[in-house]
């Protein structure tokens, strides 16, 4: 199989959209990602997967913290900003959860401390110990087959 076929197959798995944030030396950094999942209930652990070329990779390694912001359906623009799809500067408002930067209006904000770092292939997996969670009753932003979507009631 070639790289395109693999990417296309992975795109057939509908996911939520997250923005991963961290803070280093007073500067907040973020990136859009859909490689996120829960790992354990006891202790409460999640994992994120960051590509080796991502600017945020070393920032998370140094800060040893990250947050996962599960975006709401009205936050597509934020996803595009942190994915580098919108180039012109935009004002992004951050809030705090357990002292860590989070995005206002997300369906869920999950604050984490890095517990384990594991390099596999061209990605680094960060297992995070969840230190706090904030929830909102909102519909999620969904990504499927290379496009943003919203859930439909069945």
């Amino acid at each position: 199989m070639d790289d395109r076929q693999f990417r296309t197959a992975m795109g057939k798995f509908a996911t939520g959209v997250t923005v991963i944030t961290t803070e280093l030396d007073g500067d907040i950094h973020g990136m859009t990602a859909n490689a996120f999942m829960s790992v354990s209930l006891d202790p409460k652990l999640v994992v994120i997967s960051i590509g080796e070329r991502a600017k945020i990779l070393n920032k998370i390694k140094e800060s040893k913290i990250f947050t996962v912001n599960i975006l709401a359906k009205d936050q597509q623009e934020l996803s595009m900003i942190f994915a580098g799809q919108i180039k012109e500067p935009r004002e992004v408002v951050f809030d705090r959860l357990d002292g860590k930067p989070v995005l206002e209006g997300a369906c869920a904000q999950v604050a984490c401390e890095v517990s384990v770092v594991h390099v596999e292939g061209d990605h680094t997996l960060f297992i995070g110990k969840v230190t706090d969670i904030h929830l909102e009753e909102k519909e999620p932003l969904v990504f499927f087959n290379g496009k943003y979507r919203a859930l439909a009631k069945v």
Side-chain angles (χ1 to χ4, degrees), residues 82-99:
F82 286 102
Q85 296 169 328
I86 295 177
K87 303 294 184 195
E88 54 277 356
R90 301 280 171 97
E91 179 72 25
V92 177
V93 178
F94 292 95
D95 203 350
R96 294 277 168 179
L97 181 65
D98 191 35

Side-chain angles (χ1 to χ4, degrees), residues 74-111:
D74 63 349
Q75 293 182 305
Q76 180 178 330
E77 183 175 288
L78 278 174
S79 172
M80 295 172 74
I81 289 168
F82 286 102
Q85 296 169 328
I86 295 177
K87 303 294 184 195
E88 54 277 356
R90 301 280 171 97
E91 179 72 25
V92 177
V93 178
F94 292 95
D95 203 350
R96 294 277 168 179
L97 181 65
D98 191 35
K100 300 166 186 68
V102 291
L103 293 170
E104 290 183 349
C107 290
Q109 303 163 336
V110 183

Side-chain angles (χ1 to χ4, degrees), residues 2-19:
D2 64 17
D3 290 353
R4 171 61 24 214
Q5 185 182 26
F6 181 78
R7 287 179 66 94
T8 299
M10 296 304 102
K12 298 295 183 188
F13 184 65
T15 65
V17 181
T18 73
V19 170

Side-chain angles (χ1 to χ4, degrees), residues 6 9 11 25 45 48 87 92 102 108 119 131 147 149:
F6 181 78
D25 300 326
L45 301 172
I48 58 172
K87 303 294 184 195
V92 177
V102 291
V119 177
T131 61
K147 295 183 177 135
R149 314 284 178 128

Side-chain angles (χ1 to χ4, degrees), residues 36-128:
F36 158 73
M37 68 177 203
S38 63
V39 174
S40 170
L41 184 59
D42 185 18
K44 291 167 184 58
L45 301 172
V46 297
V47 66
I48 58 172
S49 178
I50 307 292
E52 65 185 12
R53 294 185 306 217
K55 295 175 189 170
I56 201 170
L57 178 65
N58 287 324
K59 293 169 180 23
I60 294 173
K61 284 181 180 177
E62 286 184 52
S63 70
K64 297 184 177 31
I65 63 157
F66 64 89
T67 64
V68 179
N69 301 273
I70 301 172
L71 298 186
K73 71 178 180 181
D74 63 349
Q75 293 182 305
Q76 180 178 330
E77 183 175 288
L78 278 174
S79 172
M80 295 172 74
I81 289 168
F82 286 102
Q85 296 169 328
I86 295 177
K87 303 294 184 195
E88 54 277 356
R90 301 280 171 97
E91 179 72 25
V92 177
V93 178
F94 292 95
D95 203 350
R96 294 277 168 179
L97 181 65
D98 191 35
K100 300 166 186 68
V102 291
L103 293 170
E104 290 183 349
C107 290
Q109 303 163 336
V110 183
C112 301
E113 295 172 353
V114 174
S115 174
V116 175
V117 178
H118 180 79
V119 177
E120 194 63 48
D122 61 0
H123 278 65
T124 298
L125 305 176
F126 291 95
I127 296 178

